[in-house]
Amino acid sequence: MDQALVEVMVFCLADSPSNDLRNVQCHRARVMRRLEEVIMAKNEEPLYMAELSAQVGASYWILRDCCLEYLGMSPKRYLWLRRMHLARWALRSADGERTTVTEIPSDYGFWEFGRFSVAYRSLFGESPSATLRRSV
């Protein structure tokens, strides 16, 4: 009888939800590591969801769940913020005499310049042209 109880306990522990939870957490951590590797490999290039999902090897929904858990935002929002920061960096390091404000956003996948400008001002507290004028 004691041996049967021990076997049942071992069986229950081996197949417990906590193991499933650990497996899910390990899988999500692997997805996030792959996401970071892809982003680091494409450091200054714009990334888009279909490309990112394929390179990470996870569906959009898995990637979304992982990003929400680890980053507190969707992957689309994360990529958008990344592109905004890349555009800001490019504006700050561009030659204001030779570069126009519309060249840089388009390099980072922003095609609606009015929306870009409004979002840029909201995020960084100044217009893209002000950043370009202050470039070094």
Side-chain angles (χ1 to χ4, degrees), residues 10-94:
V10 168
F11 179 75
C12 288
L13 290 173
D15 199 35
S16 72
S18 65
N19 281 342
D20 292 341
L21 182 60
R22 274 190 293 249
N23 288 339
V24 167
Q25 289 171 337
C26 287
H27 175 69
R28 287 182 176 179
R30 279 192 302 274
V31 167
M32 292 306 292
R33 276 194 302 275
R34 286 195 306 259
L35 174 64
E36 183 179 350
E37 290 167 3
V38 169
I39 288 173
M40 294 308 284
K42 306 251 182 191
N43 193 29
E44 293 185 21
E45 299 175 34
L47 288 167
Y48 301 96
M49 283 311 306
E51 175 188 0
L52 188 64
S53 293
Q55 289 186 7
V56 168
S59 71
Y60 168 75
W61 297 107
I62 290 173
L63 194 56
R64 179 182 168 274
D65 289 346
C66 294
C67 286
L68 286 172
E69 180 179 341
Y70 284 87
L71 303 173
M73 66 184 78
S74 72
K76 287 181 181 181
R77 176 75 177 167
Y78 180 72
L79 288 179
W80 180 83
L81 284 171
R82 179 180 177 273
R83 289 187 303 131
M84 289 295 283
H85 282 276
L86 288 171
R88 180 175 174 80
W89 178 83
L91 285 165
R92 292 175 88 178
S93 55

Side-chain angles (χ1 to χ4, degrees), residues 7 28 33 47 62 70 81 87 102-103 107 119-120 122 132:
E7 287 176 11
R28 287 182 176 179
R33 276 194 302 275
L47 288 167
I62 290 173
Y70 284 87
L81 284 171
T102 56
E103 289 174 43
D107 288 345
Y120 188 95
S122 174
L132 182 61

